Amino acid sequence: MTKAGRRAGESGTREAILRAARDQFADCGYDGATIRAIAAAAGVDPALVHHFYGTKERLFAAAMQLPVVPSEAITAALADAARSPDETVGHYLVSAALALWDSEELRGSFQALLRSALTSEQAAVMLREFLSEAILRPVASVADDTDPASTPFRASLVASHMLGLALTRYVLRFGPVAAASAEELAAAIGPTIDRYLTGDLR
Amino acid sequence: MTKAGRRAGESGTREAILRAARDQFADCGYDGATIRAIAAAAGVDPALVHHFYGTKERLFAAAMQLPVVPSEAITAALADAARSPDETVGHYLVSAALALWDSEELRGSFQALLRSALTSEQAAVMLREFLSEAILRPVASVADDTDPASTPFRASLVASHMLGLALTRYVLRFGPVAAASAEELAAAIGPTIDRYLTGDLR
């Protein structure tokens, strides 16, 4: 087999895995889908799926053509914030999200995900479960830990605001939220995210 | 003509107006559509459209089956806030929105609007123009007036957060934002809205 032939073989295998993943996520939800079942449907060994994609979240991100693996992007922003304490965690999170969304082809994949969630209850369940998993874990690591019971509420407030920002800026392209620079938005919205993470919510 | 016959005639006329309105809003956007043109397409006098619906915004809300006329709901919440200064404007706005959304059939109409905005650039333009009109005017009345140039940015931050809240609570039904009481959400999100309206955003 030539080198090009081998590459074509690998890309065919990857495509089969991603196709099987999309089916499994749609049929079983994010929580219900397993790498083992996806591998079986694609006719490959689970170890190969792990080798190509690592985690279920990364496989989901690849299958849905997300420009970013959310929990990794959030964790990276948190690490940046820890290194340079000039800006708050909220400011870093908003900046990091906008840097990714502004530069990558978010719009297509985000619209496709949202459109399917709006059209199909199954897709809404899948997206909801994925967001819980992808956002809750990293956010929990910086949320107020004196009251761990509040962490899911804090994380879902953050998710709600960030989804609204993406919807308004990229899909509706509504007014100044669409025209503003990432820096203006980070300055305006960052303190909100900080309050949702660690402030008094009552 | 019997009374029932007269009623059926009126409801047929209203239906023709709403159908013509949906077409016009889709074809010309919210800004481009006129009551005159909608009346002409429905084969009625513009005065009748004014008589039935009052304003272009009310006609749009009726045509799109929105459970509420946004600028009127916002204005009412602002009046409530002015009467009972125990709670802030932001708290009242969030409470009023949730009271409407929780009780009415928001989900269907909101999903339909969003779905069309995600599917068609034309529908996105229409929704964007409508939101500018319906949210900007009442929000401008309570935003920080020492810097009027910031008002559109302030209004679009409010719109972005409220859209995200509606999307997360009603469409995705994501985690605790879906399960929380209106009071908890108003307490958590109200101060954000206050800051977007009148706080320091830099």
Side-chain angles (χ1 to χ4, degrees):
Chain A
M1 197 187 266
T2 65
K3 208 172 162 198
R6 243 178 285 130
R7 275 211 217 93
E10 177 179 320
S11 98
T13 306
R14 281 181 182 267
E15 198 30 67
I17 293 170
L18 295 180
R19 210 163 37 233
R22 278 188 288 271
D23 290 347
Q24 278 274 320
F25 285 126
D27 291 348
C28 311
Y30 183 78
D31 292 348
T34 64
I35 286 194
R36 177 167 298 275
I38 289 165
V44 302
D45 193 275
L48 188 67
V49 180
H50 278 291
H51 171 69
F52 281 158
Y53 297 104
T55 64
K56 185 159 81 169
E57 187 190 351
R58 300 187 77 154
L59 176 57
F60 181 88
M64 301 299 156
Q65 302 184 283
L66 299 185
V68 53
V69 181
S71 73
E72 293 174 11
I74 297 173
T75 303
L78 299 177
D80 280 351
R83 265 197 302 277
S84 359
D86 317 348
E87 299 291 358
T88 67
V89 168
H91 190 285
Y92 268 100
L93 279 178
V94 177
S95 298
L98 291 171
L100 278 161
W101 295 346
D102 283 348
S103 67
E104 302 273 343
E105 282 308 310
L106 167 87
R107 220 189 130 209
S109 54
F110 180 71
Q111 278 193 243
L113 256 185
L114 263 187
R115 193 184 304 129
S116 64
L118 289 165
T119 324
S120 129
E121 173 59 23
Q122 242 177 354
V125 168
M126 180 185 75
L127 183 56
R128 178 162 77 235
E129 291 174 350
F130 172 70
L131 290 175
S132 306
E133 172 76 10
I135 296 183
L136 189 58
R137 245 182 320 127
V139 165
S141 74
V142 286
D144 176 20
D145 57 4
T146 60
D147 178 14
S150 73
T151 300
F153 186 50
R154 293 178 181 280
S156 69
L157 287 170
V158 171
S160 153
H161 201 351
M162 296 305 289
L163 278 175
L165 175 61
L167 177 67
T168 320
R169 183 171 172 90
Y170 300 103
V171 181
L172 300 180
R173 294 196 299 286
F174 177 50
V177 159
S181 70
E183 183 49 41
E184 286 173 288
L185 289 169
I189 297 174
T192 300
I193 303 298
D194 286 320
R195 191 174 141 268
Y196 289 163
L197 288 174
T198 52
D200 183 9
L201 300 182
R202 271 162 304 193
Chain B
M1 199 187 268
T2 64
K3 209 171 158 196
R6 244 178 285 132
R7 277 211 216 94
E10 178 179 320
S11 97
T13 305
R14 282 180 182 268
E15 199 30 67
I17 293 170
L18 295 180
R19 211 163 33 234
R22 277 188 289 270
D23 290 347
Q24 278 274 320
F25 285 126
D27 291 348
C28 311
Y30 182 77
D31 292 348
T34 64
I35 286 193
R36 178 167 299 277
I38 290 165
V44 303
D45 194 275
L48 188 67
V49 180
H50 279 291
H51 170 69
F52 282 157
Y53 298 104
T55 63
K56 185 160 81 170
E57 187 190 352
R58 298 186 77 153
L59 176 58
F60 181 88
M64 300 300 157
Q65 302 185 286
L66 299 185
V68 54
V69 182
S71 73
E72 294 174 12
I74 297 174
T75 304
L78 298 177
D80 280 350
R83 267 197 301 276
S84 1
D86 317 348
E87 298 291 359
T88 66
V89 167
H91 190 285
Y92 268 100
L93 279 177
V94 177
S95 297
L98 291 171
L100 278 161
W101 295 345
D102 284 347
S103 68
E104 303 273 342
E105 283 307 312
L106 166 87
R107 221 189 130 208
S109 54
F110 179 72
Q111 277 192 244
L113 257 184
L114 265 188
R115 195 184 303 129
S116 63
L118 289 166
T119 323
S120 127
E121 173 60 21
Q122 242 176 353
V125 169
M126 180 184 76
L127 182 56
R128 179 163 73 233
E129 291 174 349
F130 172 70
L131 289 175
S132 305
E133 172 75 11
I135 296 183
L136 189 59
R137 244 182 320 127
V139 166
S141 74
V142 286
D144 176 20
D145 57 4
T146 59
D147 178 15
S150 74
T151 300
F153 186 50
R154 292 177 182 281
S156 69
L157 287 170
V158 171
S160 153
H161 201 353
M162 296 305 288
L163 278 176
L165 175 61
L167 176 67
T168 320
R169 184 172 171 88
Y170 301 102
V171 181
L172 299 180
R173 294 196 298 288
F174 177 49
V177 159
S181 70
E183 183 50 39
E184 287 172 287
L185 289 169
I189 297 174
T192 300
I193 304 298
D194 287 320
R195 190 174 142 266
Y196 289 162
L197 288 174
T198 53
D200 182 10
L201 298 183
R202 272 162 303 192

